[in-house]
Amino acid sequence: MRVREACVGRDAELAAWRQALSETPSVVCVEAGPRMGRTTLLRACAEVAGERGFTVLRAQGSATERDFPYELAAQLFEPVAGAVVDRIAGRRDPDPRMHQAALRQLYRELRELAARTPVLVAVDDLDLADADSLRLLHYLRRRLTDLPVAMIVTTLPGGLAEFARDARRWTLGCFSEDVVRTLAPADAGVVFRATGGHPWLLAELRHEAGGSPIGELCRRPSPTLASKIVAGLGSDLTAVGRAAEILGSTDPTLVAAVAGVDHQTASRALVEFSGVGMPLVTSVLVAGVPSELRLRAAQALYQRRAGDEEVIDHLLATDPPGDEWVVRMLREHAATALADGDPERAAACLRRLLAESLSEEDRRRLLTSLGEAEVHTDPSAALEHLTQAGGSVALAYELAERGRLVESARVLADVDDDLAPLSIEIEHAGVLEVMPVKPENPRRQRLWHAIAALSGALKGDRGSTLAALARVKGRNLAVTAGFDLVDRRVFHHLVTALSMMDELDEADRLCDNALTAISGQQRPALERLALGLRTDSALRRGDLREARRLTLAQHDPHATALAPMIGALIDVNEPQAAAVLLSAQGLDGEIPGSARLDSVLFQRGRLRAADGDTERALHDLLECGRRMDERGVLNPAVCPWRSSAALLLGQLGDRRRAMALVEQELLLARRWGSASAVGVALRGAGMVTGDAVLLAEAVDVLRESPARLEYGRALADWGQFLRESGEELPARSVLRMAHSMAMRCGSVALMERAGRELRQAGGRRRFAVADPAVLTERESFVARRAAAGRTNRQIAAELYVTTRTVEFALTSVYRKLGLAGRRELRGALGPGDRPAP
């Protein structure tokens, strides 16, 4: 390849050079920073001149040769007057007349050569020329007036001095994005941002790519390209550039200390690096920072009293040197990070420390601390490291979290902690018989009160629960739960107890605060827990849209979330989805004996009852009750299994057992005192006994409760009773209220039932259409396309399904929205759901 073909982006300069060759004598001075391509341009200009018949005399200045007299002149005139230059350079005569004679002799040689052919004098790096040669060039330059001679010289910026007077001056810079686009049409933006249009980097990229697109090399530099960039920079500039980048500073003293060079070298290299430190270069340099440079950076910053964060950032990137100072700094920072609520930072320090040479005891302690930090950020890794370390409270908690209660109990047998087994027992085995002596530590006291509150709530002892809750609340609990294992369990117990007391606003506030506190952080353990508790709260409220949204958002749900997720899917009339969730969690067969899963048995019983499988539904509900009774969990606010089982027993004709169950639930609910629990118990008793007074009381109690869906169910039951008693006018009013409440909650099943009862009571459809948000994604798509006028066949073709599937979807849409048919679709869809024309 000819030189000028590689001289990409310099078309304007080459055109100006051709003009200069046609207008001899001419002088061109090229100024450019390092690696800007001035040497390549000089060679391209020499090539053009040679093709035009010029005799080319070339030379290049050198810092190592600038003290030798006439060294650069020797390079220039060696082809035509070597003997003359040798004779001049060999003299040491101080007489200036002798030097003048030498200059004249070389001038005559140039004139004789120019008489035969035009001549080009090309000098690279003029700023590095020896003084005698530079004097010669000045002498010749002033005597070119009648000669067919062209001169072109290159230099660093500011290196021309008097030589540039009356000359054509070119200043070379980085290429524009338009020029870069000629090199990388597909990735011009990427390449320009990575290189800044620097000629040297573009040349290296083109050479490495070998004709392939260079954009990918900018995104992920190859090892070969990285090596070429480092080699091109040289050792000093590479070290200084790396030091400046990792320090984020251009302080010469600090950079010199880290780079391992003297102050003068650092100052010079920093200036040079400012012109070449493009993103591609800095990414290569930072990716290959040696461990010893990182260590020097940490030590230099520490000596300058920089912040610990900066020092530790560098120590984390070092190889294990066995340095006591490094070990001490990392250990202290890990402890501080844990105390300050930064488990990710603590885990990073501890993982780095594990790479050091440690005693077995030190390694065990570090593994324990690492596991305790990872409990909040990486539960799987936490379990692995805690298991390697041996027995600890954190390991017992993690095993219990996964339902491995026997292993958890074995670990706790060797742990000196009274509260850990109680905290696990209250979640997995039921209420507590005896509380240990209250600890003196305030943090542990909060856990003690939380355990007491939840235990009292499970037993249905409102007084003891209220007393404990009054002492457990902490202003920052939602925040500290994200990095403190004890506070996370306090958070769990507290929110659960509050939900059972109908304090759903406070429970939601705590969950929302926790999710806000960990926003943008990797805190999967608390996030899963908070989402699970939030789902339970939404279901208790009867906010089925929110419960369904949260259900779909949880791909790896906490055990606390499973029951409310299943319940939400049942209540939004998606029983198949509920069954799939049960199967995916391995809960469609034998359900393990953890107390956390008792409510799953309850919801599975509801699902089977909805499917008409009454016997298996009753078995699940009674088994749920048996387990809860064994654990001492008497509070119907946990789940109303008694009234649900009683309704099925009544259908099967076992009125005696049904009556016993509803009477017991009502007694326990009144003892507990929350409106939701009492209202649900009254409704169950009223349905089993057929007592209108109990049903009316259920409506009155639930009207003041946060449980909106239960209120709607009580209205529907009371309305049905009124209708069957012949009181159609009040029945219609009550049933309209039930239908309206069902729409607010998003309960399709209750809407259908209330609508059916209302029609039987002689009522007309004067209630509003249901919210389209109750539709699934497929149902919403089908509804919008149908409202836009598409036929079932056209919609089926768009979805790649059968027309029968579309018919099923439309039937479901009509049922959920309370519509008579396709003509009512357009008016039923909200503005955001209006079909496109």
Side-chain angles (χ1 to χ4, degrees):
M1 177 188 294
R2 292 182 298 177
V3 176
R4 68 171 180 273
E5 291 177 359
C7 197
V8 179
R10 302 300 184 195
D11 294 341
E13 286 81 359
L14 288 174
W17 175 243
R18 293 186 183 93
Q19 181 68 24
L21 291 179
S22 64
E23 296 175 354
T24 56
S26 57
V27 179
V28 175
C29 298
V30 181
E31 288 184 294
R35 301 168 188 81
M36 279 294 174
R38 62 179 187 272
T39 297
T40 302
L41 178 61
L42 183 80
R43 290 173 179 170
C45 289
E47 185 178 85
V48 170
E51 291 174 353
R52 291 197 173 191
F54 279 69
T55 296
V56 179
L57 306 179
R58 302 182 189 182
Q60 183 173 23
S62 169
T64 59
E65 298 175 356
R66 65 193 310 173
D67 293 332
F68 302 154
Y70 291 104
E71 184 60 36
L72 189 136
Q75 294 181 52
L76 278 174
F77 286 96
E78 182 70 32
V80 294
V84 176
V85 178
D86 288 344
R87 187 168 61 254
I88 297 171
R91 289 177 177 172
R92 292 292 182 266
D93 195 329
D95 187 349
R97 290 177 298 176
M98 298 304 297
H99 286 285
Q100 186 176 16
L103 296 178
R104 287 175 176 171
Q105 188 172 355
L106 286 174
Y107 172 64
R108 285 194 294 272
E109 294 289 343
L110 180 62
R111 286 186 66 87
E112 290 176 9
L113 179 61
R116 299 191 295 271
T117 111
V119 177
L120 169 63
V121 177
V123 179
D124 199 10
D125 294 333
L126 181 69
D127 49 318
L128 299 180
D130 61 272
D132 295 305
S133 297
L134 189 58
R135 186 185 301 109
L136 169 64
L137 290 171
H138 276 286
Y139 184 88
L140 296 177
R141 184 201 181 296
R142 289 194 297 272
R143 288 160 175 76
L144 297 181
T145 54
D146 60 345
L147 297 179
V149 175
M151 273 191 178
I152 181 168
V153 299
T154 72
T155 178
L156 288 172
L160 290 170
E162 291 295 317
F163 198 87
R165 181 177 293 179
D166 300 328
R168 300 176 182 178
R169 298 182 65 168
W170 300 345
T171 300
L172 303 184
C174 292
F175 296 142
S176 67
E177 189 169 357
D178 288 337
V179 173
V180 173
R181 189 168 287 108
T182 65
L183 303 175
D187 296 307
V190 172
V191 175
F192 185 72
R193 286 190 295 273
T195 65
H198 200 291
W200 167 57
L201 294 176
L202 290 168
E204 294 291 357
L205 282 167
R206 295 180 72 210
H207 184 269
E208 177 67 14
S212 302
I214 63 178
E216 190 58 31
L217 275 175
C218 291
R219 298 184 184 94
R220 282 180 287 275
S222 66
T224 306
L225 177 62
S227 297
K228 287 182 177 179
I229 289 174
V230 170
L233 293 173
S235 58
D236 285 349
L237 187 54
T238 294
V240 168
R242 279 175 170 158
E245 285 300 311
I246 65 173
L247 291 168
S249 171
T250 55
D251 178 346
T253 303
L254 180 59
V255 169
V258 175
V261 298
D262 58 64
H263 187 279
Q264 183 178 0
T265 300
S267 299
R268 175 185 54 76
L270 283 169
V271 173
E272 188 174 345
F273 190 71
S274 66
V276 75
M278 304 302 176
L280 176 61
V281 173
T282 57
S283 67
V284 165
L285 293 185
V286 172
V289 175
S291 176
E292 59 269 19
L293 193 144
R294 287 284 191 181
L295 182 57
R296 287 200 299 269
Q299 291 169 336
L301 289 169
Y302 181 77
Q303 290 167 2
R304 288 192 168 208
R305 300 185 181 279
D308 285 351
E309 292 289 334
E310 290 183 80
V311 175
I312 296 300
D313 281 340
H314 293 296
L315 291 183
L316 288 174
T318 60
D319 295 330
D323 190 310
E324 289 185 10
W325 175 75
V326 174
V327 172
R328 177 174 60 81
M329 288 292 295
L330 289 170
R331 195 187 296 274
E332 290 176 357
H333 192 73
T336 301
L338 277 175
D340 290 345
D342 192 350
E344 291 100 335
R345 186 69 166 179
C349 292
L350 293 166
R351 278 192 288 267
R352 168 62 184 78
L353 277 171
L354 283 174
E356 296 283 350
S357 178
L358 302 167
S359 68
E360 284 302 315
E361 181 60 23
D362 280 348
R363 181 170 295 278
R364 188 191 69 77
R365 289 198 188 103
L366 279 178
L367 284 168
T368 299
S369 297
L370 176 57
E372 289 173 353
E374 290 173 332
V375 157
H376 308 282
T377 61
D378 189 348
S380 297
L383 182 61
E384 178 184 349
H385 290 135
L386 289 169
T387 302
Q388 291 174 11
S392 69
V393 172
L395 175 58
Y397 282 153
E398 286 303 294
L399 290 168
E401 188 75 11
R402 291 159 176 76
R404 294 159 63 176
L405 302 180
V406 174
E407 295 171 72
S408 178
R410 288 174 182 160
V411 171
L412 288 172
D414 298 323
V415 171
D416 184 18
D417 188 305
D418 290 336
L419 296 183
L422 295 180
S423 182
I424 293 172
E425 182 180 348
I426 201 69
E427 289 185 28
H428 293 275
V431 302
L432 305 176
E433 296 298 329
V434 180
M435 289 288 291
V437 177
K438 187 168 66 174
E440 294 181 1
N441 183 299
R443 172 170 164 269
R444 305 286 291 171
Q445 284 181 3
R446 187 154 64 175
L447 177 59
W448 192 92
H449 289 304
I451 293 171
L454 183 55
S455 181
L458 294 174
K459 286 187 291 188
D461 185 344
R462 191 175 188 84
S464 66
T465 302
L466 284 170
L469 285 175
R471 295 177 175 86
V472 76
K473 295 181 181 179
R475 288 184 306 168
N476 298 320
L477 180 61
V479 176
T480 56
F483 59 83
D484 186 285
L485 187 56
V486 170
D487 278 356
R488 197 174 86 204
R489 302 195 80 78
V490 173
F491 174 84
H492 187 177
H493 301 334
L494 173 61
V495 174
T496 303
L498 287 170
S499 296
M500 285 194 284
M501 294 193 71
D502 279 356
E503 297 289 342
L504 299 181
D505 288 343
E506 179 64 11
D508 286 349
R509 184 187 69 80
L510 285 170
C511 289
D512 291 344
N513 287 350
L515 291 170
T516 299
I518 62 175
S519 176
Q521 302 178 32
Q522 291 297 317
R523 299 285 198 278
L526 180 58
E527 182 180 23
R528 291 170 64 242
L529 175 60
L531 287 174
L533 294 170
R534 196 72 171 74
T535 308
D536 179 67
S537 174
L539 187 63
R540 287 177 181 273
R541 286 184 187 277
D543 187 351
L544 300 184
R545 296 180 185 87
E546 177 66 2
R548 182 177 183 273
R549 183 190 71 79
L550 290 168
T551 295
L552 297 178
Q554 298 173 77
H555 304 294
D556 180 25
H558 190 272
T560 304
L562 295 176
M565 288 170 71
I566 296 164
L569 292 171
I570 295 170
D571 288 334
V572 297
N573 206 29
E574 294 184 30
Q576 187 59 40
V580 169
L581 176 58
L582 278 166
S583 178
Q585 296 294 323
L587 299 174
D588 50 349
E590 184 67 25
I591 291 183
S594 170
R596 281 185 177 180
L597 300 178
D598 290 350
S599 294
V600 174
L601 262 175
F602 170 74
Q603 296 293 355
R604 193 175 73 176
R606 289 187 61 219
L607 178 62
R608 286 174 170 174
D611 287 343
D613 191 350
T614 304
E615 289 189 3
R616 289 209 301 165
L618 181 60
H619 176 272
D620 279 350
L621 294 172
L622 293 176
E623 175 61 17
C624 169
R626 184 192 67 77
R627 294 185 182 189
M628 293 178 71
D629 282 345
E630 282 187 355
R631 305 181 203 285
V633 180
L634 303 177
N635 194 343
V638 178
C639 63
W641 67 268
R642 296 175 183 85
S643 55
S644 298
L647 291 173
L648 296 182
L649 286 168
Q651 293 175 19
L652 295 173
D654 194 343
R655 182 176 173 78
R656 182 184 62 80
R657 289 177 67 194
M659 288 288 292
L661 286 175
V662 293
E663 288 173 3
Q664 185 184 24
E665 181 167 313
L666 185 55
L667 178 66
L668 292 170
R670 290 191 189 280
R671 177 189 168 200
W672 175 241
S674 72
S676 298
V678 173
V680 170
L682 284 167
R683 172 178 165 256
M687 291 295 290
V688 169
T689 62
D691 189 335
V693 174
L694 292 175
L695 289 174
E697 186 181 355
V699 170
D700 289 339
V701 171
L702 288 168
R703 183 182 293 115
E704 304 303 322
S705 82
R708 299 291 80 196
L709 182 57
E710 293 298 343
Y711 176 48
R713 286 172 176 152
L715 285 168
D717 291 339
W718 190 30
Q720 180 182 349
F721 184 88
L722 291 172
R723 179 189 64 77
E724 291 174 348
S725 301
E727 301 181 57
E728 292 186 346
L729 185 60
R732 289 198 290 269
S733 176
V734 171
L735 290 169
R736 285 195 183 98
M737 291 170 61
H739 192 280
S740 176
M741 189 57 60
M743 284 196 299
R744 284 178 55 188
C745 295
S747 174
V748 175
L750 185 57
M751 279 192 291
E752 291 179 343
R753 181 188 168 204
R756 186 170 59 251
E757 289 292 332
L758 183 58
R759 286 191 296 273
Q760 291 181 18
R764 297 182 180 180
R765 293 179 62 253
R766 294 204 301 268
F767 38 81
V769 176
D771 189 341
V774 300
L775 303 179
T776 65
E777 289 186 17
R778 172 173 286 187
E779 290 168 349
S780 177
F781 179 86
V782 169
R784 285 186 284 108
R785 306 310 282 171
R790 303 293 195 275
T791 66
N792 289 1
R793 187 182 297 278
Q794 289 171 328
I795 299 172
E798 289 185 60
L799 286 174
Y800 296 96
V801 297
T802 65
T803 54
R804 186 65 174 161
T805 300
V806 174
E807 291 169 4
F808 277 130
L810 281 175
T811 300
S812 179
V813 169
Y814 301 150
R815 184 177 71 251
K816 288 184 177 182
L817 300 185
L819 305 178
R822 188 183 290 250
R823 287 178 299 177
E824 299 181 4
L825 269 177
R826 183 178 291 271
L829 299 176
D833 294 289
R834 293 290 169 82

